[in-house]
Amino acid sequence: MASSAPPDTAAPAQESIIKDSIPKLTLYWLESSRAHRIVWLLEELELPYELLIYSRRPNLFAPKELKEIHPLGKSPVLSVSRPNSSEKPMVIAESGAIVEYLLDHFGSKLVPQRYPDGAEGQPGIETEEWMRYRYYLHYSEGSLMPLLIVALLLLRTSLLESI
Ligand SMILES: N[C@@H](CCC(=O)N[C@@H](CS)C(=O)NCC(=O)O)C(=O)O
Protein backbone atom coordinates (compact mmCIF):
# COMPACT_ATOMS: atom_id res chain seq x y z
CA MET A 1 0.00 0.00 0.00
CA ALA A 2 2.50 2.50 -1.11
CA SER A 3 1.89 6.15 -1.15
CA SER A 4 -1.28 7.72 -2.30
CA ALA A 5 0.36 10.98 -3.29
CA PRO A 6 -1.82 13.64 -4.88
CA PRO A 7 -1.58 13.96 -8.68
CA ASP A 8 1.56 15.82 -9.74
CA THR A 9 -0.06 17.79 -12.52
CA ALA A 10 -1.26 21.28 -11.75
CA ALA A 11 -0.25 21.01 -8.05
CA PRO A 12 0.12 24.48 -6.57
CA ALA A 13 3.72 25.42 -5.64
CA GLN A 14 2.89 25.52 -1.93
CA GLU A 15 1.57 21.95 -1.97
CA SER A 16 4.67 20.68 -3.68
CA ILE A 17 6.88 22.35 -1.03
CA ILE A 18 4.88 20.61 1.71
CA LYS A 19 5.05 17.30 -0.18
CA ASP A 20 8.84 17.58 -0.55
CA SER A 21 9.27 18.13 3.18
CA ILE A 22 7.36 14.98 4.17
CA PRO A 23 9.84 12.26 5.09
CA LYS A 24 9.64 8.80 3.59
CA LEU A 25 7.64 6.72 6.04
CA THR A 26 7.95 2.94 6.07
CA LEU A 27 5.71 0.82 8.25
CA TYR A 28 6.84 -2.67 9.20
CA TRP A 29 3.47 -4.35 9.49
CA LEU A 30 2.86 -7.77 11.04
CA GLU A 31 -0.35 -9.62 10.25
CA SER A 32 -3.01 -9.62 12.99
CA SER A 33 -1.19 -7.07 15.10
CA ARG A 34 -1.29 -3.63 16.63
CA ALA A 35 0.44 -2.40 13.50
CA HIS A 36 -3.02 -1.79 12.13
CA ARG A 37 -3.35 1.14 14.53
CA ILE A 38 -0.61 2.83 12.58
CA VAL A 39 -2.12 2.08 9.15
CA TRP A 40 -5.33 3.61 10.43
CA LEU A 41 -3.56 6.76 11.60
CA LEU A 42 -1.46 7.14 8.43
CA GLU A 43 -4.63 6.87 6.34
CA GLU A 44 -6.47 9.28 8.62
CA LEU A 45 -3.65 11.80 8.23
CA GLU A 46 -3.50 11.15 4.47
CA LEU A 47 0.24 10.57 4.65
CA PRO A 48 2.09 8.69 1.93
CA TYR A 49 3.83 5.58 3.26
CA GLU A 50 5.35 2.30 2.26
CA LEU A 51 3.99 -0.85 3.84
CA LEU A 52 6.27 -3.83 4.36
CA ILE A 53 4.25 -6.91 5.21
CA TYR A 54 5.44 -9.67 7.56
CA SER A 55 3.66 -12.93 8.30
CA ARG A 56 3.71 -14.57 11.71
CA ARG A 57 5.64 -17.79 12.22
CA PRO A 58 3.63 -20.98 12.86
CA ASN A 59 4.10 -20.37 16.63
CA LEU A 60 2.55 -16.93 16.06
CA PHE A 61 5.72 -15.04 16.96
CA ALA A 62 7.07 -12.40 14.62
CA PRO A 63 9.60 -13.51 11.99
CA LYS A 64 13.25 -13.08 12.97
CA GLU A 65 13.80 -10.46 10.23
CA LEU A 66 11.95 -7.91 12.31
CA LYS A 67 14.87 -7.99 14.79
CA GLU A 68 17.04 -6.56 12.01
CA ILE A 69 14.79 -3.52 11.88
CA HIS A 70 14.60 -3.00 15.66
CA PRO A 71 16.10 -5.16 18.46
CA LEU A 72 12.67 -5.65 20.02
CA GLY A 73 11.73 -7.76 17.01
CA LYS A 74 8.08 -6.79 17.20
CA SER A 75 5.64 -4.79 15.14
CA PRO A 76 4.74 -2.03 14.56
CA VAL A 77 7.96 -0.26 13.69
CA LEU A 78 8.06 2.92 11.65
CA SER A 79 11.14 4.20 9.88
CA VAL A 80 11.47 7.83 8.93
CA SER A 81 13.90 8.97 6.21
CA ARG A 82 14.37 12.64 5.53
CA PRO A 83 13.89 13.63 1.91
CA ASN A 84 17.11 13.91 -0.12
CA SER A 85 19.19 12.64 2.79
CA SER A 86 21.68 9.78 2.84
CA GLU A 87 21.52 9.46 6.65
CA LYS A 88 20.28 6.21 8.14
CA PRO A 89 16.52 6.34 8.67
CA MET A 90 15.23 6.99 12.16
CA VAL A 91 13.52 3.90 13.54
CA ILE A 92 10.63 4.17 16.00
CA ALA A 93 9.16 1.22 17.89
CA GLU A 94 6.19 1.08 20.31
CA SER A 95 2.85 1.90 18.79
CA GLY A 96 2.17 4.68 21.31
CA ALA A 97 5.48 6.37 20.51
CA ILE A 98 4.79 6.06 16.78
CA VAL A 99 1.32 7.57 17.18
CA GLU A 100 2.71 10.43 19.24
CA TYR A 101 5.49 11.08 16.72
CA LEU A 102 3.11 11.18 13.76
CA LEU A 103 0.64 13.38 15.59
CA ASP A 104 3.38 15.75 16.78
CA HIS A 105 4.43 16.38 13.20
CA PHE A 106 1.35 15.86 11.07
CA GLY A 107 -1.62 15.72 13.44
CA SER A 108 -2.73 19.32 13.64
CA LYS A 109 -6.20 18.42 12.35
CA LEU A 110 -6.63 15.67 14.98
CA VAL A 111 -4.89 16.91 18.12
CA PRO A 112 -6.81 19.38 20.28
CA GLN A 113 -5.32 22.70 21.31
CA ARG A 114 -3.01 22.06 24.28
CA TYR A 115 -3.13 25.41 26.10
CA PRO A 116 -5.70 28.19 26.22
CA ASP A 117 -4.64 31.14 24.08
CA GLY A 118 -2.01 33.22 25.83
CA ALA A 119 -1.07 30.53 28.36
CA GLU A 120 1.29 28.42 26.27
CA GLY A 121 3.72 26.20 28.12
CA GLN A 122 2.28 26.60 31.62
CA PRO A 123 1.83 23.32 33.51
CA GLY A 124 -1.56 22.75 35.10
CA ILE A 125 -3.51 24.80 32.58
CA GLU A 126 -3.70 22.34 29.69
CA THR A 127 -7.13 22.13 28.09
CA GLU A 128 -9.49 19.32 29.08
CA GLU A 129 -9.65 18.15 25.44
CA TRP A 130 -5.88 17.84 25.17
CA MET A 131 -5.61 16.03 28.54
CA ARG A 132 -8.29 13.58 27.38
CA TYR A 133 -6.44 13.03 24.10
CA ARG A 134 -3.15 12.34 25.92
CA TYR A 135 -4.87 10.07 28.45
CA TYR A 136 -6.52 7.83 25.84
CA LEU A 137 -3.34 7.72 23.77
CA HIS A 138 -1.61 5.99 26.68
CA TYR A 139 -4.65 4.21 28.13
CA SER A 140 -5.11 2.16 24.97
CA GLU A 141 -1.70 0.46 25.26
CA GLY A 142 -1.07 0.83 29.00
CA SER A 143 -4.41 -0.29 30.49
CA LEU A 144 -6.75 -1.56 27.78
CA MET A 145 -4.37 -3.74 25.79
CA PRO A 146 -3.30 -6.01 28.71
CA LEU A 147 -6.99 -6.74 29.39
CA LEU A 148 -7.60 -7.53 25.73
CA ILE A 149 -4.59 -9.86 25.67
CA VAL A 150 -5.86 -11.72 28.77
CA ALA A 151 -9.31 -11.99 27.16
CA LEU A 152 -7.74 -13.30 23.94
CA LEU A 153 -5.71 -15.93 25.80
CA LEU A 154 -8.73 -17.06 27.85
CA LEU A 155 -10.82 -17.27 24.71
CA ARG A 156 -8.14 -19.33 22.98
CA THR A 157 -7.87 -21.68 25.95
CA SER A 158 -11.62 -22.22 26.22
CA LEU A 159 -11.86 -22.71 22.47
CA LEU A 160 -9.09 -25.32 22.61
CA GLU A 161 -10.84 -27.13 25.48
CA SER A 162 -14.09 -27.31 23.53
CA ILE A 163 -12.43 -29.04 20.54
N1 LIG B 1 3.88 -2.35 23.30
C1 LIG B 1 4.25 -2.70 21.96
C2 LIG B 1 3.83 -4.14 21.70
C3 LIG B 1 4.40 -4.69 20.41
C4 LIG B 1 3.94 -6.12 20.22
O1 LIG B 1 3.90 -6.92 21.17
N2 LIG B 1 3.58 -6.45 19.00
C5 LIG B 1 3.09 -7.78 18.72
C6 LIG B 1 1.97 -7.73 17.72
S1 LIG B 1 0.54 -6.93 18.35
C7 LIG B 1 4.18 -8.62 18.10
O2 LIG B 1 5.01 -8.13 17.37
N3 LIG B 1 4.12 -9.91 18.38
C8 LIG B 1 5.00 -10.88 17.82
C9 LIG B 1 6.05 -11.34 18.78
O3 LIG B 1 6.01 -10.97 19.97
O4 LIG B 1 6.94 -12.09 18.35
C10 LIG B 1 3.55 -1.75 20.99
O5 LIG B 1 2.53 -1.14 21.37
O6 LIG B 1 4.03 -1.56 19.86
Side-chain angles (χ1 to χ4, degrees):
M1 226 161 292
S3 41
S4 51
D8 280 335
T9 50
Q14 185 62 23
E15 259 182 42
S16 93
I17 292 169
I18 292 170
K19 204 174 99 189
D20 288 348
S21 66
I22 291 182
K24 179 175 187 293
L25 302 170
T26 304
L27 177 63
Y28 298 83
W29 182 92
L30 176 68
E31 63 176 315
S32 303
S33 80
R34 288 166 178 82
H36 225 66
R37 300 173 71 188
I38 310 304
V39 173
W40 188 4
L41 182 59
L42 288 163
E43 292 289 333
E44 195 68 43
L45 296 174
E46 299 180 45
L47 288 169
Y49 62 98
E50 184 183 9
L51 191 68
L52 298 185
I53 296 176
Y54 293 81
S55 299
R56 288 181 184 263
R57 289 188 274 163
N59 62 9
L60 297 183
F61 284 115
K64 292 200 163 54
E65 298 86 72
L66 273 177
K67 279 217 161 86
E68 290 158 23
I69 314 302
H70 186 279
L72 194 62
K74 293 180 184 288
S75 170
V77 172
L78 184 78
S79 75
V80 182
S81 313
R82 295 199 312 146
N84 311 318
S85 161
S86 55
E87 291 160 25
K88 271 173 61 177
M90 194 169 73
V91 173
I92 314 171
E94 283 296 334
S95 53
I98 296 170
V99 168
E100 211 162 338
Y101 184 87
L102 290 173
L103 290 178
D104 276 354
H105 288 285
F106 311 108
S108 53
K109 72 173 186 182
L110 290 184
V111 179
Q113 184 173 342
R114 182 165 180 168
Y115 298 101
D117 291 339
E120 280 73 20
Q122 295 182 37
I125 202 169
E126 285 87 349
T127 64
E128 198 183 326
E129 293 81 4
W130 186 86
M131 289 302 289
R132 195 179 309 125
Y133 142 76
R134 176 61 69 90
Y135 171 76
Y136 281 113
L137 178 64
H138 291 280
Y139 171 85
S140 58
E141 186 60 22
S143 292
L144 181 62
M145 203 62 192
L147 293 177
L148 294 178
I149 297 277
V150 171
L152 181 73
L153 292 176
L154 288 175
L155 192 68
R156 281 216 178 124
T157 317
S158 60
L159 280 178
L160 283 178
E161 277 169 1
S162 66
I163 291 174

